[in-house]
Amino acid sequence: MSIKMPLPDAGVLGRRDEIVADLRRIVPGEGVISSAAEMVPYESDALNSYRQPPMVVVLPDTTEQVAQVLKYCHANGIRVVPRGSGTSLSGGSLPLADAVLLGMGKFKRIREIDFDNRIVVTEPGVTNLAISQAVAHAGFYYAPDPSSQIACSIGGNIAENSGGVHCLKYGMTTNNVLGCEIVLITGEILRIGGKALECAGYDLMGVITGSEGLLGVVTEITVRILQKPETARAVMAGFPSVESAGECVARIIAAGIIPAGMEIMDKPATAAAEAFVNAGYPLDVEALLIVELDGPKVEVDELILRVDAIARACGQTTCQISNSEQERLLFWAGRKAAFPAVGRISPDYICMDGTIPRGRLAEALTRIRELSEKYQLRCANVFHAGDGNLHPLILFDANLPGEMDRAEAFGADILRTCVELGGVLTGEHGVGVEKRDLMPEMFTEIDLNQQQRLKCAFDSQGLLNPGKVFPTLHRCAELGRVHVHAGKLAFPELPRF
Amino acid sequence: MDILKIRDAADVEQAVQAALADERPLEIIGHGSKRAIGQTQAADAVLDLSALDAVVSYEPNELLLTVGAGAPLADVLSLIDSKNQHFAFEPMNPARLLGTGDDAGTIGGMLASGLAGPRRVKDGGARDHLLGAHAVSGFGETFKTGGKVVKNVTGYDLCKLLCGSWGTLAVMTEVTLKVMPRPESQRTLVLRGLDDLAAVRAMTAALGSPYDVSGAAHLPAAVLRHPDSGMAGVGDGRALTLLRLEGIDASVKHRAGSLTAALASHGAVDGLDDDASAGLWQAVRDVTPFAAIGAFGAWPVWRIVCPPAAGGRLGEALAADTGGAVLYDWGGGLIWVALPGADDARAALVRGRAEAAGGHAMLIRAPQSLRDATDVFHPQQSGVAALTRRVKHSFDPKDIFNRGRMTRGTTP
């Protein structure tokens, strides 16, 4: 672990036994875990190259307990790291040595299904997929589908503003949530939004979503659900170059078609996936494009023809069109298994998550190839091509001296490239600890200060999830100072009317 | 009062710093088309952003548009229309409702007000389409948030806060928006003569179907009777329940057939094609039945957002209790209420009922004297109100932007 985290507070660590005892009074029984052996599973999330045992793990099962724990921590200056299912790819729930790890896994109940208002009210520990399963009998589903959806919790999805293959058409988490119950670090319980499409006042739900556990702990969530489309079909087209596949993506969008999903895999990723799941992927193409259309059959059939015509014009060399649900799922099987497939051909890998303007896909890939040469590490690429979100998978062996550091440096260079090409550091995995120190590549100090001022409005002592997102921490009092530039004329030089 | 004509983004920063030095509050305007909305402000000067009207870049293939905050909405709409694109959230033009001419205002005003039209039920609001912004905070500093890509989770999503903040947090100078392909065709299904409860039931069934309904509105008979309702010629005087389908032609036809069949138990369904359909939805979007020059023009108008399925009962009760007129959009989730004169626009009654239904109510049109006596924006529960004040303070600690516009009596 090469990243610097906030220094542990010796005073807090010194009072550990007392703190554990106090927490046990709030959350009785097995809800407080303090033995080193039992805390091991909580040492990291899915970014498992970073590990840190927490001071203590607390697993509350009521909102009141969450409020009491936070109020206690606030009163005693104790840091808190919230955690859902621990599937963050950016280290969003990496513990701190002097912090309470607040696990929300016991919040597993769906509280209300309201088909008339097309919403589900759920506790945060419910998995993403479980929401869709709970409403499937009526033909509904919850649209955002991160690839970890069987395991990741909806609370974690709120924290990370999770995306997925289908967010091109159906939006990310933020476009599919209406309200929440949130507990602030002071222990105050607030309700934001609800079943209505908009809340009164500022769009606080909008800024809580994607705040990576730094603003509050969500204890209930209201999500929108949609009717499942009548049908879905996929086109799988091979191209002689990533450029031509990228051009095809641009022309599909330009033709006014917003597919349900649009994914590109490069040759190494295709080969790894094919070896793993035998999806029948062509192995002699440089890029494989999968385009999924959904909706009424008549619409899907027509759009499939339009997409196929565009792909031909862009020089596709292979083409398959799914004619059954089984076939469609097979096309996706390899793409969905791309990460574990790459895991089989390399002892270790890290997955990057930058976004670039779609039109610069080919350029980005060329730059990634050059970096691969420079760092002498292999890289397989999968892209959410429709929205320009890249997932380069850097292959390395952590047992070889220096490889891990090289892989991280390679990854950082990829993200710098994304920013240079007009893009951003992260499309859906979050900043966490992983991209924290790259934030100044994209934001000035002023930009970051404004974000931290918002943090101060929710958590003035900086106790919730410190060390994530922001490379440097400032005191709220310092950030809140207004620097009036003395000696300036009132509204100088401006034309007046 | 001074009107400060901004020439470029640097001017904004300078003007804000000067305002800070003197602690002089500023009213932020584009074209000023929505100045009649909100509480009376305590402003010493007007910051006029209309010169920030550049189209910085428009990339149809990327679905991206970057413009100055002062760019006229009408011009921008025709620009993107020329590439068969649009803002999917269908921004409302409140000019006819307010009686302020027909200027649709600027992009900055569109975002700051965040008033979305009928397609919000399917494609979201302004907040779902603002991808990035440059803005000047009340610290006198220019910051950026978001980016110029459609998918981004880097840092807090401050764009969400800027949308619908009515210019009280920061002065946007340049914004990047997501544009979407305009549907190739549209068709509106019409059910006639339903009462409000039956209409909301029909809309609920339609929105809960897989047929991708992109607009669901109900116009009770009372709002159609007037020749200037914007609905002339579409009906026979009976209430209209409208359901819009959009997309490629074959799909629209297919879904229209399926939806008609699915709604059989709700009543007879007939159809309106492209032109008539488009005109109707524009009237719904802009609430022209309550236009300032129309039959209800003298009445205050409430905008109530509530859980859609609760809309019918709420609207019917409000009409009965106040003698007012109502119309429904968003499948019942947005209710416009025009009610006859009272000193407080029946605020306690309207808000009590809206809250009981899980919604909230904004007094969007009323004479200044009435607005001075009533909360325009729905009062919040104390904890949320306190958090709101802290959020405001984190952007604008000296309260120099649109002071008092969202909060009556007290400065936040």
Side-chain angles (χ1 to χ4, degrees), chain A residues 198 299 306 358-359 497, chain B residues 5 62 144 184 251 309 360:
Chain A
E198 288 174 356
E299 174 178 329
R306 291 192 199 178
R358 271 178 287 255
F497 295 85
Chain B
K5 278 285 248 186
E62 295 283 342
K144 82 159 186 212
E184 289 174 17
S251 173
H360 45 91

Side-chain angles (χ1 to χ4, degrees), chain B residues 11-262:
Chain B
D11 273 355
V12 179
E13 195 175 298
Q14 205 176 31
V16 171
Q17 284 177 7
L20 267 176
D22 297 348
E23 305 215 3
R24 292 179 67 184
L26 299 170
E27 181 184 2
I28 323 298
I29 67 163
H31 290 178
S33 64
K34 301 177 189 73
R35 288 174 93 179
I37 303 177
Q39 313 287 165
T40 305
Q41 298 183 34
D44 276 355
V46 173
L47 203 61
D48 175 342
L49 302 179
S50 59
L52 299 180
D53 61 354
V55 174
V56 179
S57 67
Y58 174 36
E59 298 164 81
N61 292 0
E62 295 283 342
L63 304 176
L64 287 181
L65 171 74
T66 300
V67 293
L73 175 57
D75 294 359
V76 170
L77 288 178
S78 40
L79 170 70
I80 61 179
D81 187 67
S82 72
K83 298 289 181 188
N84 294 319
Q85 295 186 332
H86 69 166
F87 293 136
F89 61 96
E90 228 175 345
M92 177 196 188
N93 176 359
R96 292 190 62 195
L97 179 70
L98 300 172
T100 52
D102 58 5
D103 182 356
T106 60
I107 292 288
M110 170 188 87
L111 294 168
S113 62
L115 297 169
R119 207 179 288 102
R120 199 195 191 304
V121 289
K122 175 171 175 281
D123 286 339
R127 51 97 72 188
D128 298 291
H129 296 84
L130 178 62
L131 300 172
H134 285 82
V136 178
S137 71
F139 290 83
E141 297 172 339
T142 301
F143 68 94
K144 82 159 186 212
T145 179
K148 294 188 178 183
V149 291
V150 293
K151 193 172 176 192
N152 177 15
V153 296
T154 320
Y156 298 140
D157 191 354
L158 304 184
C159 289
K160 296 285 184 291
L161 284 176
L162 295 175
C163 287
S165 65
W166 296 90
T168 60
L169 294 179
V171 185
M172 286 182 269
T173 53
E174 184 184 299
V175 294
T176 297
L177 284 141
K178 178 156 104 173
V179 294
M180 293 297 274
R182 202 181 55 206
E184 289 174 17
S185 71
Q186 64 168 292
R187 192 177 170 86
T188 297
L189 301 185
V190 187
L191 292 93
R192 296 174 199 275
L194 300 185
D195 66 32
D196 299 4
L197 286 177
V200 168
R201 278 197 297 272
M203 293 192 287
T204 299
L207 288 166
S209 79
Y211 307 122
D212 223 8
V213 171
S214 71
H218 175 65
L219 308 164
V223 305
L224 294 169
R225 287 200 190 109
H226 300 277
D228 46 10
S229 65
M231 306 286 165
V234 290
D236 52 10
R238 286 184 291 164
L240 297 174
T241 307
L242 308 170
L243 300 163
R244 182 173 60 184
L245 300 166
E246 297 175 300
I248 61 171
D249 201 43
S251 173
V252 169
K253 283 203 176 97
H254 165 82
R255 284 181 282 139
S258 304
L259 186 56
T260 299

Side-chain angles (χ1 to χ4, degrees), chain A residues 380-452:
Chain A
N381 288 286
V382 298
F383 311 130
H384 299 304
D387 40 33
N389 187 198
L390 314 180
H391 290 320
L393 301 163
I394 299 170
L395 316 188
F396 69 100
D397 183 350
N399 289 324
L400 297 178
E403 280 225 342
M404 168 88 196
D405 290 343
R406 251 170 42 230
E408 288 196 331
F410 182 2
D413 275 355
I414 290 176
L415 296 184
R416 284 188 190 100
T417 303
C418 289
V419 174
E420 248 174 72
L421 295 176
V424 300
L425 296 171
T426 173
E428 58 182 356
H429 294 171
V431 176
V433 291
E434 190 202 21
K435 282 150 266 183
R436 184 193 76 187
D437 292 345
L438 291 169
M439 286 290 268
E441 299 286 335
M442 191 172 146
F443 293 115
T444 65
E445 196 184 346
I446 288 174
D447 301 336
L448 291 172
N449 285 351
Q450 189 52 50
Q451 296 196 27
Q452 290 197 56

Side-chain angles (χ1 to χ4, degrees), chain B residues 186-188 234 272-282:
Chain B
Q186 64 168 292
R187 192 177 170 86
T188 297
V234 290
L272 286 173
D273 281 320
D274 286 322
D275 284 355
S277 171
L280 259 185
W281 288 103
Q282 193 174 323

Side-chain angles (χ1 to χ4, degrees), chain A residues 219-302:
Chain A
T219 46
E220 182 190 285
I221 298 145
T222 302
V223 301
R224 300 181 76 177
I225 50 172
L226 301 174
Q227 268 286 323
K228 259 184 241 155
E230 278 179 51
T231 49
R233 289 177 76 191
V235 181
M236 185 164 80
F239 289 88
S241 66
V242 173
E243 285 82 349
S244 50
E247 176 63 20
C248 184
V249 168
R251 287 202 208 169
I252 289 170
I253 299 276
I257 301 169
I258 305 291
M262 188 143 61
E263 300 285 311
I264 292 179
M265 290 190 278
D266 72 357
K267 198 170 188 173
T270 307
E274 179 60 16
F276 188 32
V277 300
N278 299 312
Y281 289 169
L283 296 175
D284 54 347
V285 299
E286 287 299 317
L288 189 66
L289 171 67
I290 303 176
V291 183
E292 178 163 299
L293 285 315
D294 68 6
K297 185 172 180 307
V298 44
E299 174 178 329
V300 171
D301 290 352
E302 180 169 333

Side-chain angles (χ1 to χ4, degrees), chain A residues 359-378:
Chain A
R360 308 196 73 173
L361 206 54
E363 217 173 320
L365 204 72
T366 306
R367 299 274 289 273
I368 292 171
R369 272 194 218 110
E370 289 164 7
L371 290 169
S372 172
E373 288 285 310
K374 176 181 162 190
Y375 286 101
Q376 287 294 297
L377 290 172
R378 291 179 298 162

